[in-house]
């Protein structure tokens, strides 16, 4: 099995990247804290980063512009937080990121923000509950399976673990 985090490609043509980094995150969990800090730090280092600041409407399909930004980013940083999997938007982004890794050689770097990587990988806890809800609300079971596979694959990459130091 090929390592998803690898950015090496045997292809003769190298993709032309528009962005250095694409940030995938659940806004209400981390936008005003971790993501704003990370984005500022990357910008200060001259790293051209895509961060979606628009409010996304629930129930609408993911925008083509957002999918294009994923494909045009050399690196995707996925910030897995407590409610990441509750968002069909986040899961659509994640599936596109995994596809971009396979097809374009995009590097994938996960950050486990106050969540255990094993919980994410095995889709337990809040991640398991999110999928139960998706399965009740979404008729397209293949889409849900694609999300599950992408989540399992991305969460299996060695990344950064930001543990919750509070008891609870």
């Amino acid at each position: 099995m090929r390592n998803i985090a690898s950015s090496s490609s045997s292809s003769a043509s190298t993709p032309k990247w528009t962005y250095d980094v694409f940030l995938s995150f659940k806004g209400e969990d981390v936008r005003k804290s971790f993501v704003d800090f990370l984005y500022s730090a990357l910008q200060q280092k001259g790293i051209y980063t895509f961060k979606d600041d628009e409010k996304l409407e629930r129930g609408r399909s993911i925008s083509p512009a957002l999918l294009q930004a994923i494909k045009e980013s050399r690196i995707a940083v996925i910030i897995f937080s407590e409610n990441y999997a509750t968002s069909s938007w986040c899961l659509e982004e994640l599936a596109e990121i995994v596809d971009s890794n396979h097809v374009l050689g995009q590097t994938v770097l996960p950050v486990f923000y106050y969540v255990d990587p094993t919980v994410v990988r095995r889709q337990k806890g809040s991640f398991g509950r999110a999928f139960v809800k998706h399965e009740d609300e979404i008729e397209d079971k293949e889409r849900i399976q694609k999300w599950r596979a992408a989540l399992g694959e991305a969460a299996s990459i060695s990344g950064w673990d930001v543990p919750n130091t509070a008891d609870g």
Side-chain angles (χ1 to χ4, degrees):
M1 186 169 163
R2 189 171 160 275
N3 181 350
I4 189 174
S6 172
S7 63
S8 65
S9 176
S10 59
S11 171
S13 65
T14 304
K16 295 199 183 325
W17 308 114
T18 301
Y19 302 99
D20 296 314
V21 175
F22 179 92
L23 298 177
S24 177
F25 59 94
K26 174 72 170 145
E28 62 195 44
D29 283 358
V30 294
R31 179 183 308 277
K32 296 296 181 195
S33 55
F34 183 77
V35 169
D36 280 351
F37 174 78
L38 177 60
Y39 180 78
S40 292
L42 291 168
Q43 291 294 98
Q44 287 174 2
K45 295 292 184 186
I47 299 170
Y48 190 44
T49 304
F50 182 92
K51 178 182 76 148
D52 181 26
D53 280 323
E54 295 180 28
K55 297 258 187 211
L56 303 176
E57 293 182 39
R58 189 179 178 123
R60 292 189 46 199
S61 61
I62 194 165
S63 76
L66 192 61
L67 293 175
Q68 192 62 34
I70 292 168
K71 291 176 187 169
E72 294 176 357
S73 298
R74 188 166 57 93
I75 298 168
V77 175
I78 306 161
I79 298 110
F80 291 116
S81 59
E82 185 73 17
N83 296 303
Y84 185 90
T86 63
S87 168
S88 58
W89 285 90
C90 288
L91 295 171
E92 284 291 328
E93 283 181 9
L94 180 63
E96 187 65 34
I97 288 166
V98 169
D99 284 348
S100 292
N101 168 263
H102 290 221
V103 175
L104 304 172
Q106 180 182 71
T107 300
V108 178
L109 302 173
V111 175
F112 301 94
Y113 188 81
Y114 295 173
V115 294
D116 186 302
T118 304
V119 169
V120 179
R121 187 170 41 256
R122 295 183 182 164
Q123 298 161 29
K124 302 292 183 192
S126 64
F127 286 78
R129 289 188 297 276
F131 274 100
V132 167
K133 188 171 183 199
H134 291 310
E135 287 167 350
D136 286 344
E137 296 175 352
I138 299 172
E139 290 184 29
D140 186 351
K141 301 308 176 199
E142 285 183 33
R143 183 171 161 205
I144 293 171
Q145 281 309 110
K146 184 174 183 175
W147 292 348
R148 282 188 178 278
L151 186 63
E153 190 172 342
S156 295
I157 301 167
S158 178
W160 290 272
D161 187 5
V162 180
N164 189 348
T165 55
D167 293 332

